[in-house]
Amino acid sequence: MGSASQEDVYAYPDSKAPSLVLTHPTEDEKRRTWTLNHKEWGGALTLEEYLKREPYLTTIPLTRDGGMTHWILTDSSWSAEKGGSRPILASCESINKRVLVAAPSDTAIRDGVGHGVGSVFTYPEHRGNRYAGRMLNELGVALRKWQCEKQVSQDAVCSALWSDIGKKYYAQKGWAAFPSLHVEFPVSANQMQGSEEKGKGKGKVTPITYENLGQLCEVDEKLLREQMLRKAKETNRTCVAFAPDHDTMRWHLYRDDFIASILFKSSPGPTNVSSSIKGALAGTQEGRRVWAVWSRNYYGGSGKPTDNVEKNTLYILRLVIESEASEGENPSEDVVESFTAVMRIALREAATWNLGKVDLWNPSPLVKALIERSALQHRPVERDAESIPSMMWYGAEDIHNIEWVANEKYCWC
Ligand SMILES: CC(C)(COP(=O)(O)OP(=O)(O)OC[C@H]1O[C@@H](n2cnc3c(N)ncnc32)[C@H](O)[C@@H]1OP(=O)(O)O)[C@@H](O)C(=O)NCCC(=O)NCCS
């Protein structure tokens, strides 16, 4: 027995060292990482609550049964005799998602795998040593084949992440930045008053709940598939979209319910804490309906939903205009009314849940026209630092020629 000699003491390696490997963390290592990154991503949750949420997020639709993978960069030359614990030089997660692809000459959509990457993190004491960079280089390569055994081509279609550190860093690693505009609708007294007085579309708006969500997702995907085939031909570019499917929507909604059930536990608020309204649908004639599915986001402060209300946001995860193909950029009056009615319900829900604004990501030209015609108060926001959709493409095309269709909040992870 005795203390380790000088040459036995573990020295942190260079980021280019061949001994660095991308692998998966143990349960203890995951917990250590979550404990450290709670400050970044805990939002309104305490550390204890966050340490419950992260494992929970591996048990819900989309991520359960291995749908989510945790990754770390570590050093294979480390051994327990050198003391301490295995070094975690950088970490992240990936989620296996269904993607749809249409090339200009295609007559049918190709289904494939696209990985969403999240929680890229380096322990504070290791930052600036290029460990995250090394992990991302390894990850970009690894994800091409990851969980693709059932694919005919054996390759994933793409991987995507939402950068919170601007457009440059990930672009240099191969994840090109895509449009990051959103339209913000403030929850002002004025907008709320309008919802009562104007009441356009009143009586024909129905709530979206867990009961009818699945069917609507099926309709949405069918329409999206048709839209992509058309768009690929029109633009002469390969189109890709994350499938706006039931599992993807439920991943967001279960996550939202988990957080709200904690925040509203001891705070006065609506009686049904896990809001049964997950969106709204306007219009009765199939083919002309408009709907939106949404989730809530709380920034916290002292752990109350009433903290930071002006920052708290109701995100439109997905907006569907059933008649998109025939509307052009000059929508008909019934669609304008339906859109306005849906957005007014979103604003009312936002007010109910202490959310100061409603955000809608990357509206299409048609949706921009609907917003203008709705006369709802709004402002466009070009994000240049946070949640920048960024994609690595594994196909033969240049990523800059890829059209990301339905680049909306539901894709985010
Ligand atoms: C971002 C992060 C993962 C980088 O880890 P790292 O191991 O230090 O990264 P590297 O050494 O490979 O690269 C450092 C680069 O990241 C850049 N960077 C780090 N934080 C940044 C920020 N908030 N905004 C812009 N750039 C940032 C550095 O300026 C440096 O840039 P350079 O390559 O031009 O010199 C780490 O700082 C971290 O965990 N931050 C907190 C969590 C976070 O923001 N994660 C990213 C979520 S998208």
Side-chain angles (χ1 to χ4, degrees), residues 111 148-155:
D111 289 80
C148 287
E149 304 80 16
K150 291 187 199 134
Q151 296 295 298
V152 181
S153 71
Q154 297 287 307
D155 272 5

Side-chain angles (χ1 to χ4, degrees), residues 40-41 89-90 119-123 126-134 161-166 168-170 172-173:
E40 307 292 338
W41 297 302
L89 304 173
S119 306
V120 174
F121 185 71
T122 298
Y123 288 11
H126 298 323
R127 288 187 191 161
N129 292 321
R130 310 267 157 227
Y131 290 143
R134 171 71 185 267
L161 54 85
W162 287 262
S163 171
D164 287 335
I165 56 169
K168 230 173 88 193
Y169 180 73
Y170 292 102
Q172 284 167 346
K173 311 264 175 289

Side-chain angles (χ1 to χ4, degrees), residues 127-390:
R127 288 187 191 161
N129 292 321
R130 310 267 157 227
Y131 290 143
R134 171 71 185 267
M135 176 184 72
L136 290 165
N137 288 341
E138 305 276 336
L139 183 77
V141 174
L143 289 181
R144 178 188 280 270
K145 298 281 178 204
W146 183 243
Q147 297 177 328
C148 287
E149 304 80 16
K150 291 187 199 134
Q151 296 295 298
V152 181
S153 71
Q154 297 287 307
D155 272 5
V157 170
C158 62
S159 55
L161 54 85
W162 287 262
S163 171
D164 287 335
I165 56 169
K167 298 184 179 179
K168 230 173 88 193
Y169 180 73
Y170 292 102
Q172 284 167 346
K173 311 264 175 289
W175 281 273
F178 274 74
S180 50
L181 177 105
H182 68 256
V183 177
E184 182 180 299
F185 300 80
V187 177
S188 62
N190 189 21
Q191 308 251 65
M192 299 321 297
Q193 196 181 15
S195 71
E196 296 309 320
E197 282 174 6
K198 291 176 192 152
K200 279 191 165 178
K202 219 174 164 187
K204 60 172 188 171
V205 185
T206 49
I208 297 178
T209 64
Y210 284 123
E211 271 76 62
N212 57 0
L213 178 68
Q215 288 160 277
L216 292 171
C217 289
E218 278 175 27
V219 176
D220 181 11
E221 183 171 336
K222 183 174 167 286
L223 291 171
L224 180 62
R225 284 171 172 264
E226 291 163 9
Q227 184 199 356
M228 287 176 70
L229 287 170
R230 275 194 313 271
K231 199 165 186 134
K233 285 199 174 48
E234 275 163 27
T235 59
N236 201 28
R237 286 151 78 103
T238 294
C239 291
V240 65
F242 283 91
D245 59 24
H246 197 200
D247 279 359
T248 301
M249 297 304 161
R250 284 187 299 168
W251 179 80
H252 285 278
L253 300 177
Y254 283 32
R255 183 178 184 277
D256 166 319
D257 283 345
F258 183 92
I259 297 167
S261 67
I262 288 173
L263 291 185
F264 285 92
K265 198 171 48 195
S266 53
S267 302
T271 42
N272 184 1
V273 157
S274 59
S275 161
S276 59
I277 300 182
K278 306 302 177 191
L281 177 147
T284 46
Q285 190 190 339
E286 223 167 287
R288 301 206 61 76
R289 297 173 301 178
V290 172
W291 71 83
V293 180
W294 55 64
S295 68
R296 301 159 285 184
N297 196 49
Y298 295 93
Y299 282 83
S302 64
K304 292 198 195 79
T306 44
D307 299 331
N308 268 311
V309 169
E310 67 292 348
K311 272 183 94 185
N312 293 344
T313 306
L314 183 141
Y315 284 110
I316 303 290
L317 297 171
R318 173 73 175 143
L319 174 67
V320 179
I321 316 290
E322 270 191 314
S323 60
E324 173 129 31
S326 59
E327 294 298 328
E329 286 174 29
N330 190 16
S332 16
E333 194 52 34
D334 66 315
V335 179
V336 176
E337 278 190 22
S338 293
F339 170 77
T340 310
V342 166
M343 291 306 289
R344 287 198 190 283
I345 301 285
L347 285 157
R348 211 160 64 195
E349 276 292 290
T352 304
W353 293 99
N354 305 113
L355 308 164
K357 58 195 174 75
V358 173
D359 280 4
L360 172 61
W361 279 19
N362 288 322
S364 64
L366 167 66
V367 174
K368 282 183 182 162
L370 287 170
I371 295 170
E372 291 310 321
R373 295 264 300 275
S374 74
L376 290 167
Q377 199 188 333
H378 65 277
R379 71 177 183 110
V381 179
E382 189 73 61
R383 299 186 308 281
D384 54 11
E386 285 184 359
S387 279
I388 311 292
S390 308

Side-chain angles (χ1 to χ4, degrees), residues 44-108:
L45 302 183
T46 64
L47 173 61
E48 197 190 336
E49 290 157 354
Y50 182 69
L51 290 174
K52 286 190 182 126
R53 186 191 72 181
E54 292 307 288
Y56 171 72
L57 289 182
T58 65
T59 64
I60 61 179
L62 194 68
T63 45
R64 64 186 166 210
D65 303 326
M68 177 182 246
T69 309
H70 296 83
W71 303 89
I72 52 166
L73 181 77
T74 187
D75 183 0
S76 62
S77 77
W78 175 86
S79 67
E81 295 104 63
K82 296 192 176 177
S85 45
R86 180 167 77 154
I88 297 176
L89 304 173
S91 59
C92 67
E93 300 153 4
S94 66
I95 299 181
N96 185 325
K97 299 181 180 212
R98 238 163 28 81
V99 291
L100 315 173
V101 184
S105 59
D106 285 349
T107 52

